[in-house]
């Protein structure tokens, strides 16, 4: 519910929000996150502390708000952003440049520590001077993979000046997003509704597998894979539909779940609790998809706390949690969906989940933090 989230108005349209990863043995919830902005005269990368964001007050209102620790100017719109490690953030720009920013925690400053200029660029005459937007970046330290609207895939290694590998004509259409499937394999989604798998060990510049939506060719904007069941992949696209794929079988999605009324910008499985999935959209909503328990045994939140909850079907079936995402019989689907942003009007562009914490950013020039996701 909205009351659980603390808002911070930042006079910047927020395009990306990411939690800083926790050290391997950490028990505490995440406390730092970064944001990137877009469509402003002066775009910025900012690092925030969520430590002050407390539990709800007596009236249910949120106490404390995120505190700005430091920020730095960014050239172009922030198209994507990922933490490489505890200190470094990799940022994809609409100019085609990819920059690694270092967060200096001793004096709370940000500096650009590495930059690959025009990692993505158009080669036709009209735009010979200009870069092509770098639309997606994913990190698996020390490796960084980027994709762009030029259909190019780059593999960088931090501290190396040149790309380790470039697949120039990986796609004839815009690549919108990328994620690691395994250490040596990546998945990309494009603007004609295709999900492609690439094996970086192969010298061939061809995908090892191509999956596609039906003949509609609806552009896909985002992709994430299940953290423990790596064959389960979720994508979202221009029509707001959530597609679940089993990349072990077939070339089409196992299920298409009607979701948002406009473009879905991001989809994320919860990294440690993947029965839970989160999607956000241009329509101003952020949905929490929960396959974890028997819906019929759940209390209904319809009348409490302004939550708008939609239940998919109620037939009782004992199925493993894992297969809940792969169940392609809608009558058996037991997914509880809660819109965590009931009254938002402008686009929710980005979200990230870690532990009990959610952060999201909007075109309403605000960032929101909810530290009681499963309360």
């Amino acid at each position: 519910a909205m009351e659980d989230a603390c808002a911070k108005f930042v006079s910047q349209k927020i395009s990306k929000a990411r939690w800083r990863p926790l050290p391997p043995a950490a028990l505490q919830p995440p406390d730092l996150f970064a944001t990137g902005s877009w469509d402003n005269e002066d775009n910025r990368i900012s690092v925030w502390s969520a430590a002050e964001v407390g539990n709800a007050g007596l009236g249910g209102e949120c106490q404390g708000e995120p505190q700005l620790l430091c920020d730095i100017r960014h050239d172009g719109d922030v198209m994507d952003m990922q933490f490489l490690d505890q200190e470094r953030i990799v940022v994809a720009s609409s100019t085609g440049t990819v920059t690694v920013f270092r967060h200096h925690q001793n004096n709370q400053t940000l500096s650009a520590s590495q930059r690959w200029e025009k990692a993505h660029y158009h080669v036709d005459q009209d735009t010979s001077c200009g870069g092509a937007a770098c639309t997606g970046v994913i990190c698996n330290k020390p490796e960084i993979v980027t994709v762009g609207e030029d259909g190019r895939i780059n593999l960088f290694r931090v501290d190396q000046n040149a790309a380790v590998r470039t697949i120039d004509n990986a796609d004839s259409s815009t690549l919108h997003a990328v994620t690691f499937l395994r250490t040596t394999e990546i998945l990309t989604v494009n603007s004609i509704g295709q999900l492609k798998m690439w094996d970086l060990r192969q010298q061939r510049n061809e995908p090892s597998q191509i999956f596609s939506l039906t003949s509609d060719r609806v552009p896909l904007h985002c992709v994430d894979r299940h953290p423990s069941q790596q064959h389960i992949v979720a994508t979202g696209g221009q029509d707001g539909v959530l597609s679940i794929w089993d990349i072990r079988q077939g070339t089409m999605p196992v299920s298409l779940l009607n979701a948002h009324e406009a473009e879905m910008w991001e989809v994320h499985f919860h990294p440690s609790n993947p029965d839970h999935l989160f999607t956000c959209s241009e329509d101003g909503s952020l949905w929490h998809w929960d396959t974890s328990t028997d819906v019929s045994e759940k209390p209904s939140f319809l009348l409490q706390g302004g939550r708008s909850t939609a239940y998919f079907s109620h037939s009782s079936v004992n199925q493993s949690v894992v297969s809940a995402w792969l169940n392609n019989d809608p009558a058996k689907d037991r997914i509880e969906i809660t819109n965590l942003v009931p009254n938002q009007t402008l686009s929710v562009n980005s979200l990230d989940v870690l532990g009990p914490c959610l952060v999201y950013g909007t075109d309403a020039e605000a960032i929101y933090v909810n530290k009681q996701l499963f309360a």
Side-chain angles (χ1 to χ4, degrees):
M2 197 69 164
E3 303 84 90
D4 303 335
C6 297
K8 172 86 175 176
F9 292 91
V10 293
S11 66
Q12 296 250 313
K13 288 185 184 175
I14 299 296
S15 57
K16 291 293 155 183
R18 299 285 181 251
W19 288 111
R20 180 178 71 175
L22 291 167
L27 297 172
Q28 78 275 22
D31 57 347
L32 277 194
F33 65 91
T35 58
S37 70
W38 81 289
D39 198 28
N40 307 286
E41 280 182 27
D42 187 13
N43 289 307
R44 305 195 83 74
I45 305 295
S46 309
V47 175
W48 306 83
S49 164
E52 297 301 308
V53 179
N55 298 337
L58 291 173
E61 76 285 1
C62 185
Q63 302 290 310
E65 59 175 27
Q67 304 294 315
L68 178 65
L69 297 176
C70 48
D71 65 355
I72 192 169
R73 200 174 164 278
H74 178 264
D75 197 20
D77 291 338
V78 173
M79 303 292 289
D80 200 3
M81 181 169 75
Q82 301 289 341
F83 274 88
L84 178 73
D85 53 27
Q86 296 280 297
E87 282 155 14
R88 288 177 291 185
I89 309 165
V90 184
V91 180
S93 172
S94 58
T95 65
T97 295
V98 178
T99 309
V100 182
F101 290 96
R102 187 178 286 274
H103 174 215
H104 306 272
Q105 294 174 50
N106 50 356
N107 61 358
Q108 293 303 341
T109 56
L110 277 164
S111 65
S113 62
Q114 191 168 4
R115 188 175 274 124
W116 293 284
E117 297 280 352
K118 294 212 172 110
H120 295 271
Y121 55 92
H122 290 296
V123 288
D124 54 296
Q125 275 64 45
D126 308 334
T127 48
S128 55
C129 58
C134 177
T135 50
V137 59
I138 193 75
C139 303
N140 185 13
K141 188 179 171 182
E143 299 191 320
I144 298 165
V145 175
T146 68
V147 296
E149 64 177 29
D150 53 358
R152 191 174 270 110
I153 298 173
N154 289 309
L155 172 62
F156 295 107
R157 267 200 198 95
V158 72
D159 303 332
Q160 290 191 22
N161 291 329
V164 179
R165 170 104 190 261
T166 295
I167 305 178
D168 271 323
N169 301 308
D171 214 297
S172 53
S173 63
T174 295
L175 289 168
H176 281 144
V178 60
T179 193
F180 273 100
L181 179 60
R182 298 177 187 83
T183 318
T184 56
E185 287 181 295
I186 57 168
L187 292 166
T188 59
V189 290
N190 69 12
S191 59
I192 56 170
Q194 293 173 321
L195 167 69
K196 295 184 182 180
M197 193 193 311
W198 304 82
D199 187 339
L200 298 173
R201 293 165 301 190
Q202 301 289 337
Q203 286 315 300
R204 294 182 311 124
N205 291 341
E206 305 287 321
S208 51
Q209 231 172 323
I210 300 178
F211 307 84
S212 55
L213 295 171
T214 48
S215 51
D216 297 344
R217 296 192 155 217
V218 175
L220 290 172
H221 289 308
C222 51
V223 58
D224 196 24
R225 76 154 169 76
H226 192 289
S228 51
Q229 304 286 320
Q230 294 182 339
H231 54 278
I232 301 177
V233 174
T235 62
Q238 185 172 288
D239 55 3
V241 169
L242 173 65
S243 306
I244 305 291
W245 313 70
D246 181 346
I247 59 173
R248 298 170 306 184
Q249 50 184 319
T251 57
M252 287 167 64
V254 240
S255 55
L256 297 171
L257 299 165
N258 282 319
H260 302 279
E261 288 164 25
E263 290 92 339
M264 185 189 298
W265 293 130
E266 290 196 344
V267 56
H268 292 288
F269 284 101
H270 191 285
S272 54
N273 201 345
D275 319 339
H276 299 267
L277 177 133
F278 299 83
T279 58
C280 63
S281 168
E282 177 74 27
D283 68 11
S285 62
L286 190 160
W287 284 16
H288 172 189
W289 305 69
D290 179 1
T291 64
S292 63
T293 41
D294 187 331
V295 169
S296 56
E297 291 170 9
K298 280 196 170 167
S300 169
F301 294 113
L302 289 171
L303 302 173
Q304 299 167 24
R307 290 172 199 261
S308 49
T309 300
Y311 290 136
F312 277 40
S313 75
H314 288 258
S315 65
S316 70
V317 58
N318 289 328
Q319 57 183 20
S320 74
V321 161
V322 169
S323 67
W325 289 120
L326 297 182
N327 192 342
N328 54 10
D329 175 1
K332 293 203 192 87
D333 265 339
R334 312 178 62 67
I335 304 178
E336 179 188 352
I337 303 167
T338 307
N339 180 10
L340 299 179
V341 191
N343 309 315
Q344 170 79 13
T345 51
L346 295 177
S347 179
V348 180
N349 295 323
S350 181
L351 73 97
D352 197 21
V353 281
L354 189 59
C357 302
L358 164 74
V359 60
Y360 59 96
T362 73
D363 270 353
E365 306 195 341
I367 49 180
Y368 297 83
V369 174
N370 176 347
K371 287 174 116 174
Q372 304 179 53
L373 208 43
F374 302 112

